[in-house]
Amino acid sequence: MLTKPKYGWSDFQLEGTCKYGLSYTDDIALEWVEQAIHGLETMLPFCVKGFLEPDRFLCIVSYWNCHIICEDDERKPLDKEAVTHEISHTSMLQFSKYLYEDVSKNLDAWVSFVSYDDKDISKKHEELSRSLKKLKRLIAEKAECFDEDHCFL
């Protein structure tokens, strides 16, 4: 889903969608992991964001699907043709699994992805590691909610 960060960029792609190059202006790993944790804790859809420079990237993670929206970052009214909207049949649980795997296997690269903040790298590493452990636990706990016998109201 997310490639290893390189030169301040990471590519994002879900099954059936285009590839999107996300820049370092958002601390993707920390922010997205926290959103996934909140989504699984509350069992409510959540949204993650990124910057494509110049466009804005939004991925709305619902129960059974992800909705990707790319829009101009201007304040003017949007023209419908200028907005990208794609849908991937990727559940909240699967999105969270992909996120956990992709960030875990490139943890050091994700910790240093954002270079403009003043956070201590070792503290950021601890924070992200803690959050990943929590996300892994929630994935295991909530797996049964996404089986064939469950639905969301």
Side-chain angles (χ1 to χ4, degrees):
M1 178 174 82
L2 287 167
T3 61
K4 180 179 180 178
K6 186 173 181 180
Y7 308 123
W9 293 89
S10 174
D11 288 334
F12 171 89
Q13 186 173 24
L14 292 172
E15 184 177 335
T17 71
C18 294
K19 188 182 296 184
Y20 298 93
L22 303 174
S23 86
Y24 69 95
T25 55
D26 290 288
D27 198 344
I28 291 170
L30 278 172
E31 293 170 11
W32 289 25
V33 168
E34 287 302 316
Q35 289 297 317
I37 287 169
H38 180 72
L40 289 174
E41 284 179 335
T42 61
M43 290 308 295
L44 292 171
F46 61 93
C47 183
V48 294
K49 70 179 186 73
F51 198 50
L52 303 170
E53 293 187 31
D55 293 336
R56 180 74 50 207
F57 168 91
L58 302 168
C59 182
I60 301 161
V61 181
S62 190
Y63 301 108
W64 303 113
N65 299 288
C66 290
H67 302 262
I68 296 171
I69 300 168
C70 297
E71 61 183 13
D72 192 351
D73 197 34
E74 299 292 325
R75 292 176 186 239
K76 64 184 181 200
L78 291 172
D79 182 4
K80 286 183 181 183
E81 289 78 38
V83 178
T84 300
H85 180 225
E86 293 189 290
I87 301 170
S88 175
H89 185 56
T90 303
S91 71
M92 181 187 300
L93 186 70
Q94 188 61 56
F95 181 94
S96 299
K97 286 179 180 179
Y98 289 152
L99 181 61
Y100 173 82
E101 292 166 9
D102 293 344
V103 174
S104 293
K105 73 181 173 189
N106 295 303
L107 184 60
D108 291 336
W110 282 110
V111 167
S112 60
F113 184 60
V114 172
S115 59
Y116 59 83
D117 64 8
D118 293 332
K119 286 188 176 180
D120 178 276
I121 292 293
S122 63
K123 287 182 182 177
K124 194 171 176 181
H125 193 283
E126 289 173 24
E127 179 183 358
L128 187 53
S129 294
R130 261 193 321 274
S131 293
L132 285 168
K133 286 178 187 171
K134 186 173 186 178
L135 180 59
K136 184 178 182 180
R137 179 181 52 78
L138 284 166
I139 289 168
E141 287 177 9
K142 301 298 182 174
E144 72 180 34
C145 296
F146 292 87
D147 67 18
E148 294 294 322
D149 297 328
H150 285 82
C151 67
F152 299 95
L153 303 175

